[in-house]
Amino acid sequence: MSVGSLQWGGRFRRAPDPALLAFGSSLEDDLLLAPFDLETSRAHVRALAGGGAIAPEIAAALESALDRVAAEIEAESFAAWASEKGFEDIHGAIDARVREIDAVAGSWLHAGRSRNDQVATTLALYAAARARDGLARVTAIAAALAARARNALAPESVLAGTTHGQPAQPILLAFWLQAAAEPFVRCAQRFAAVAREAMAMMPLGSGALAGSCLPLDRAAAARYLGFATPSRNALDSVGTRDALFACADAWARACVPAARIAAEVVSWASPLVGYVRIGDASASGSSLMPQKRNPDIFELVRAGTQRVLSDAGTAWSMSAAVGLSYHRDLQECKQSAVDAIERADALLSAFERAFADLEFDLATMERQATHGYTLATDHADALILHGLDARRAHRLVGERVALAEEQGRSFDASDLLALGEAVGGTALAAPLDARSSVRAKATEGSSSPEAVRRSLDALERELAAIASER
Ligand code: ARG
């Protein structure tokens, strides 16, 4: 007798087609859900025993059978056992193993329970745990970037900040690093919210869709698992994967800043730019060109993010195609969402390691910082501060830039003298080097050393507050 026909009890006369069973199985992908399914089963035993649906001895026997499965999962023997038998999913596999260990008690485990509420609960627990992991991951990345920003403040390292990839205005490297850290702080807030939402309502005890006639103590189960409360509507509970998808979303969102930083690192690492050197531990060579030092990890982070984003989006869109309640499509959604989460975690871990291995070439950055007339805006601002209107200031400085460009030289004191004539005849008091330029910035959140210091203080305070809420 095959597992398939055992599984469905008396309804079927013939065993299922093994090829179709294999097609419909998510077992391999589910193995990482095993600890969460076990917790769900332990909670269900409490619900059954608490409501008086099973005798205390049966509950105790189920607990010890579940302990044994936990030990087998820990020892990695369970996966081989389950794979060989060919189950549809981890939930069926664990239930079958419990029955194999203790046939009498094991036959009570599924009382009042469907795989529909079981899988929904398991996935909520997984989502909450992985959101907490994500929170720790992005917090570590943000903290490392902030620490590196502080280091870049003494001495004040400068570079040409860009827009459209073109030289724009000088900025502090510390300011760039802080800009890299900020989105990860927002991601940390998002992960904290997802972890809370995932544990708001417990699906367990919803049965297949309508609840149960058995006296299940759902409150006891919710308390055991750490959910705020049992869910309000069984039909909604079995058909929703909001927590899982929100978790996948949060991970995908966290990959986006990593990909954008990676894109910048890839161009900075080119010897034609020379702002960073990819460390030996993270660079790749070429099988043909002996001189190469390639930024492969950053390229994989950039491309891998696309995969994560599409897996996370696919999960949502697949679920939008079906009506309320459980549909098998939700199994396919689960796989997309879990893939997104696991892939994103690996990606961000690689990003964190490779970024730590980067060396900035501060001298090259500084040498290029005023290249491309990046002080022009400061000069226009100086004219405005002397009372010239913004349009005229812009035009006058633009004309001097055009002239300097024609003469093949950078901006110098002669330009400040010429501009000064427009505002009363003295040389304009305006920066002619990148460091003076950033120091002249006066607004909150700007690239001045003082503003960056204050912003880093605030960023680190926010990280500490998020960590203490956990
Ligand atoms: N294997 C399914 C999944 O992971 C769970 C089974 C739910 N119920 C069912 N009637 N097929 O989504």
Side-chain angles (χ1 to χ4, degrees):
M1 186 81 97
S2 84
V3 170
S5 56
L6 278 176
Q7 185 169 288
W8 305 130
R11 180 70 177 87
F12 298 109
R13 296 222 169 81
R14 285 190 337 181
D17 178 340
L20 297 181
L21 203 58
F23 170 74
S25 171
S26 62
L27 182 70
E28 295 300 318
D29 292 345
D30 285 352
L31 288 169
L32 82 189
L33 300 173
F36 305 101
D37 182 79
L38 276 179
E39 281 306 282
T40 300
S41 288
R42 291 184 198 282
H44 187 58
V45 171
R46 279 168 176 74
L48 285 166
I54 57 171
E57 313 80 70
I58 296 288
L62 283 172
E63 274 292 346
S64 73
L66 289 167
D67 286 345
R68 197 158 137 200
V69 180
E72 291 171 3
I73 290 167
E74 185 73 16
E76 290 174 17
S77 58
F78 178 79
W81 174 87
S83 303
E84 196 187 310
K85 302 238 157 152
F87 291 98
E88 177 186 312
D89 57 31
I90 191 69
H91 317 289
I94 290 179
D95 190 86
R97 182 68 189 128
V98 168
R99 281 181 283 140
E100 201 175 79
I101 291 167
D102 186 335
V104 176
S107 299
W108 287 95
L109 179 58
H110 215 56
R113 177 174 85 168
S114 156
R115 276 178 313 147
N116 295 355
D117 59 340
Q118 190 181 355
V119 65
T121 307
T122 299
L123 290 174
L125 292 175
Y126 165 78
R130 297 303 273 136
R132 288 192 292 268
D133 295 341
L135 173 58
R137 168 82 63 211
V138 294
T139 300
I141 293 175
L145 288 166
R148 228 158 152 176
R150 287 218 186 267
N151 274 337
L153 277 169
E156 291 161 5
S157 309
V158 284
L159 73 151
T162 61
T163 62
H164 309 264
Q166 310 297 311
Q169 293 188 269
I171 56 172
L172 288 171
L173 175 58
F175 179 68
W176 185 91
L177 286 162
Q178 185 218 329
E182 290 288 355
F184 292 108
V185 180
R186 294 191 288 275
C187 287
Q189 297 285 19
R190 181 78 203 121
F191 273 125
V194 170
R196 266 194 312 275
E197 283 161 23
M199 297 305 289
M201 283 197 189
M202 181 193 69
L204 194 64
S206 296
L209 77 164
S212 172
C213 302
L214 303 184
L216 300 175
D217 186 348
R218 295 189 72 203
R223 261 195 315 279
Y224 172 76
L225 291 173
F227 282 96
T229 163
S231 60
R232 281 201 294 261
N233 183 297
L235 183 63
D236 171 51
S237 298
V238 297
T240 186
R241 297 289 180 270
D242 285 6
L244 177 70
F245 298 169
C247 180
D249 246 10
W251 276 100
R253 201 187 294 191
C255 291
V256 172
R260 298 187 71 178
I261 295 164
E264 204 122 324
V265 167
V266 168
S267 63
W268 284 10
S270 162
L272 297 174
V273 178
Y275 284 6
V276 291
R277 182 181 163 87
I278 310 282
D280 280 1
S282 51
S284 304
S286 154
S287 58
L288 180 75
M289 298 169 282
Q291 86 285 11
K292 288 286 252 169
R293 169 182 284 278
N294 288 329
D296 291 30
I297 299 297
F298 292 97
E299 295 172 275
L300 292 170
V301 164
R302 198 168 57 177
T305 296
Q306 310 279 344
R307 174 137 64 112
V308 170
L309 282 167
S310 80
D311 280 344
T314 299
W316 281 113
S317 56
M318 283 192 293
S319 78
V322 299
L324 309 192
S325 180
Y326 181 81
H327 302 260
R328 190 67 175 276
D329 308 52
L330 295 182
Q331 175 175 311
E332 200 79 13
C333 302
K334 162 185 75 180
Q335 287 168 290
S336 275
V338 170
D339 278 354
I341 293 166
E342 298 304 320
R343 182 80 201 158
D345 193 10
L347 184 154
L348 288 171
S349 157
F351 170 78
E352 192 179 356
R353 297 170 84 89
F355 196 91
D357 199 35
L358 275 186
E359 252 175 67
F360 292 101
D361 185 334
L362 305 178
T364 300
M365 283 184 172
E366 181 159 354
R367 218 173 22 251
Q368 302 288 329
T370 57
H371 196 72
Y373 304 99
T374 58
L375 299 172
T377 309
D378 291 331
H379 300 151
D381 281 355
L383 289 173
I384 294 168
L385 285 170
H386 275 86
L388 221 62
D389 74 78
R391 297 290 163 191
R392 260 190 83 205
H394 188 284
R395 186 165 44 80
L396 286 181
V397 177
E399 283 165 6
R400 288 308 294 186
V401 169
L403 182 70
E405 198 176 47
E406 266 163 42
Q407 296 171 346
R409 60 171 179 85
S410 49
F411 240 65
D412 59 28
S414 70
D415 298 295
L416 294 192
L417 209 60
L419 289 172
E421 278 162 22
V423 287
T426 53
L428 206 58
L432 278 175
D433 65 278
R435 214 160 268 142
S436 314
S437 161
V438 293
R439 284 187 189 149
K441 296 291 174 292
T443 48
E444 202 52 39
S446 73
S447 185
S448 84
E450 267 325 297
V452 172
R453 242 175 227 112
R454 273 196 302 274
S455 294
L456 283 172
D457 289 346
L459 184 155
E460 281 166 353
R461 272 199 305 277
E462 187 174 343
L463 282 181
I466 299 168
S468 74
E469 277 166 26
R470 266 195 259 167

